Structures are given as structure tokens and as C-alpha cells.
Amino acid sequence: DTGVSQDPRHKITKRGQNVTFRCDPISEHNRLYWYRQTLGQGPEFLTYFQNEAQLEKSRLLSDRFSAERPKGSFSTLEIQRTEQGDSAMYLCASSLGDRRSYEQYFGPGTRLTVT
Amino acid sequence: ILNVEQSPQSLHVQEGDSTNFTCSFPSSNFYALHWYRWETAKSPEALFVMTLNGDEKKKGRISATLNTKEGYSYLYIKGSQPEDSATYLCAFSGRRALTFGSGTRLQVQP
């Protein structure tokens, strides 16, 4: 399967701990997006990369959050000093090119629970 | 702040029923409207991407229409089957990345 993969699928952590998630996009896709989804809501945009450059960050992305895509392939999303409000599904998506109409292909998500 | 609204929030239908959902979105700075199906424990699956006013797309029993001037899209499912049970998300593509509605959760009873 050459779709978008995310690791881990589930993460339970204690408040105050740091967590890191990984996303592997479809190999030829140069755009990579991170979204967060909480119960009863649709996914909300966090940040996106064009190759290795982080081009936009949402106001939702506090300074405890950092994302990287060092070689323009896989990406990591780190949350430092986790809080209970960080509990959510974190989704990664990738797309080809920069046209607005291009489909974004999603991974299965990482579900984070902060206790 | 972009507002993408979906209705209804949830829907329970019997197998064989036809159903439809609504997505409303800002009519300015429009680039594209996406529909996704999201089954539990799976990745959201792209159904349609529509860009032109009046667009109609069809995939099997599922079809969608787009009105960019008034800012709405309809998704239709003909003859619902239990495997259609999922959350259906619409997403507006404007200046930034996708802005999603909160989804319509469909449950089809056999």
C-alpha cells in the first residue's frame, strides 16, 4: 500500500510529557499538511509544508507545537509539555502540486490521549 | 473566519432509503469544494473535488452538486447500504488549506 501512513496510531501520555508523531506521505507528493480533529468537529488545519519549507502555521499551533519535514519526505509533529486539551486525532495529508483543487490524501491519524 | 456548515449533524436511515446532505460555505475566494467519507478507524477517503459552479459529479450511487454563487453543495446517496455508514465531510478550499465542516454522521440500518 503506497498511501499516507502515520505512526503511532494511538498514543496515551501523561500531562507534561512530550510526544512526537510521524507522517510518511505518498512519495511523489510535495505538499504535506497536518490537521487536528476533536470530538464532534471536522479536522482543523495546523500547518503545511511545500517540500521541506513550512509555509503556513495556524494560530492553533501554539509554541508548544513544532513540525518539521527535514528532507521534504516524512514529517514529524512534536508537542511539548502536553496538556489535556491536546487530546485529539492528529491527521496528516499529502497532495501533489499547489493547485487548490488537488485532492489531499489522508493518513489514518494518530489518536492522542493526555491523562 | 471561514464558516463551513453541514446539515444534518447525524442521520439514521433504513437500507434502501435515499438520502442527501447539505454543505454551505463562503461564496467568495472560492477555489474548490471537497467531499470526503470517513469510516471509523480508517483514513478519510476523497469522494469528489468540485471547482466549477453547476458541477455535478457521480461515483456509483453517490453524487454531488455545486452552487458556488450561493455557496452550497449537496451530496446524494441513492439506495443507502449498511457499508455507506460513515461520517461525510465537506471541505472548502480557499486561500489556505482545507476548511472542514463538522460532518454528517450517517448510520444505515440493515
Side-chain angles (χ1 to χ4, degrees):
Chain A
D1 190 307
T2 56
V4 179
S5 61
Q6 292 187 245
D7 184 68
R9 294 289 304 273
H10 302 273
K11 179 72 178 177
I12 299 173
T13 192
K14 291 187 178 176
R15 190 174 51 186
Q17 297 294 306
N18 298 345
V19 293
T20 300
F21 311 140
R22 177 180 169 124
C23 171
D24 286 88
I26 294 171
S27 58
E28 62 268 27
H29 285 184
N30 52 23
R31 279 210 166 183
L32 186 148
Y33 304 81
W34 285 99
Y35 293 86
R36 180 174 70 185
Q37 190 247 352
T38 53
L39 201 61
Q41 301 297 316
E44 295 173 291
F45 168 72
L46 292 177
T47 187
Y48 84 87
F49 294 83
Q50 173 90 15
N51 299 313
E52 65 275 9
Q54 188 173 17
L55 295 187
E56 191 170 353
K57 292 194 287 188
S58 159
R59 283 173 294 181
L60 292 175
L61 212 67
S62 77
D63 53 12
R64 295 185 298 106
F65 287 69
S66 62
E68 293 183 341
R69 194 182 182 197
K71 296 181 182 177
S73 55
F74 73 92
S75 175
T76 58
L77 178 68
E78 181 183 14
I79 309 174
Q80 295 183 325
R81 305 181 303 282
T82 52
E83 301 172 356
Q84 286 188 318
D86 297 331
S87 296
M89 173 77 83
Y90 290 84
L91 290 163
C92 173
S94 67
S95 70
L96 182 63
D98 59 4
R99 285 185 58 192
R100 306 292 180 190
S101 61
Y102 279 2
E103 285 182 23
Q104 291 187 20
Y105 294 82
F106 281 83
T110 294
R111 182 168 293 285
L112 173 66
T113 303
V114 182
T115 61
Chain B
I1 296 176
L2 293 175
N3 223 16
V4 179
E5 305 272 353
Q6 289 190 247
S7 63
Q9 264 190 319
S10 65
L11 201 51
H12 291 252
V13 301
Q14 293 295 123
E15 183 175 353
D17 288 348
S18 293
T19 186
N20 65 84
F21 323 133
T22 304
C23 172
S24 62
F25 53 87
S27 52
S28 58
N29 297 318
F30 175 86
Y31 284 89
L33 193 284
H34 303 242
W35 280 100
Y36 285 86
R37 174 169 59 201
W38 195 2
E39 296 178 66
T40 304
K42 294 187 178 179
S43 306
E45 174 198 355
L47 290 173
F48 305 113
V49 181
M50 295 186 288
T51 57
L52 298 175
N53 184 44
D55 252 357
E56 290 189 27
K57 298 251 176 152
K58 186 171 175 165
K59 185 186 285 190
R61 294 178 291 99
I62 305 177
S63 59
T65 61
L66 179 68
N67 183 323
T68 60
K69 292 183 179 177
E70 296 180 40
Y72 65 84
S73 175
Y74 294 136
L75 186 81
Y76 301 92
I77 303 178
K78 186 177 176 182
S80 302
Q81 299 296 307
E83 59 265 30
D84 296 328
S85 298
T87 296
Y88 290 82
L89 293 163
C90 72
F92 170 85
S93 182
R95 252 185 339 107
R96 308 171 64 208
L98 299 179
T99 300
F100 283 86
S102 54
T104 293
R105 182 173 294 180
L106 174 67
Q107 188 70 39
V108 182
Q109 300 290 344

